[in-house]
């Protein structure tokens, strides 16, 4: 394989890994905000269902992709939490 091609592929994989990490950090911040709202807020407000659906979606995405990028523990924990929220 051509050295330039190898570097290019490695560079693309590094950028993909970094992109996942930044998105995952944002997802974790979003989950923390949801948890705060659910534990501190009014459970009868209409957005509770939206928060739970959003949290489930984020956890599902993390559970499915974290291991691919070397974040096995994150993926495992996300899967456990996702299953607890599953409708």
């Amino acid at each position: 394989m051509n050295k330039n091609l190898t570097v290019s592929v490695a560079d693309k994989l590094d950028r993909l890994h970094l992109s996942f990490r930044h998105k995952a950090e944002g997802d974790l911040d979003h989950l923390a905000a949801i948890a705060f709202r659910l534990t501190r807020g009014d459970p009868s407000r209409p957005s509770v269902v939206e928060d739970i659906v959003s949290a489930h979606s984020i956890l599902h995405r993390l559970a499915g992709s974290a291991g691919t990028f070397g974040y096995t523990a994150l993926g495992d924990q996300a899967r456990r939490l996702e299953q607890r929220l599953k409708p």
Side-chain angles (χ1 to χ4, degrees), residues 8-58:
S8 177
V9 169
D11 185 50
K12 287 179 183 178
L13 288 173
D14 286 344
R15 281 187 270 142
L16 191 58
H17 185 270
L18 187 60
S19 175
F20 171 80
R21 181 179 173 156
H22 287 302
K23 180 146 180 57
E25 288 171 351
D27 285 343
L28 293 173
D29 288 343
H30 191 181
L31 285 170
I34 290 170
F36 181 81
R37 282 194 303 272
L38 291 174
T39 58
R40 303 278 195 263
D42 176 7
S44 65
R45 71 188 195 288
S47 62
V48 169
V49 172
E50 292 172 13
D51 278 345
I52 292 171
V53 169
S54 180
H56 182 269
S57 176
I58 292 167

Side-chain angles (χ1 to χ4, degrees), residues 28 31 52 55-56 59-60 62-63 74-87:
L28 293 173
L31 285 170
I52 292 171
H56 182 269
L59 291 166
H60 180 76
L62 286 172
L74 173 61
D76 292 345
Q77 290 299 322
R79 176 76 64 216
R80 285 186 192 101
L81 291 169
E82 174 201 10
Q83 290 171 346
R84 292 182 73 181
L85 286 180
K86 194 173 188 176

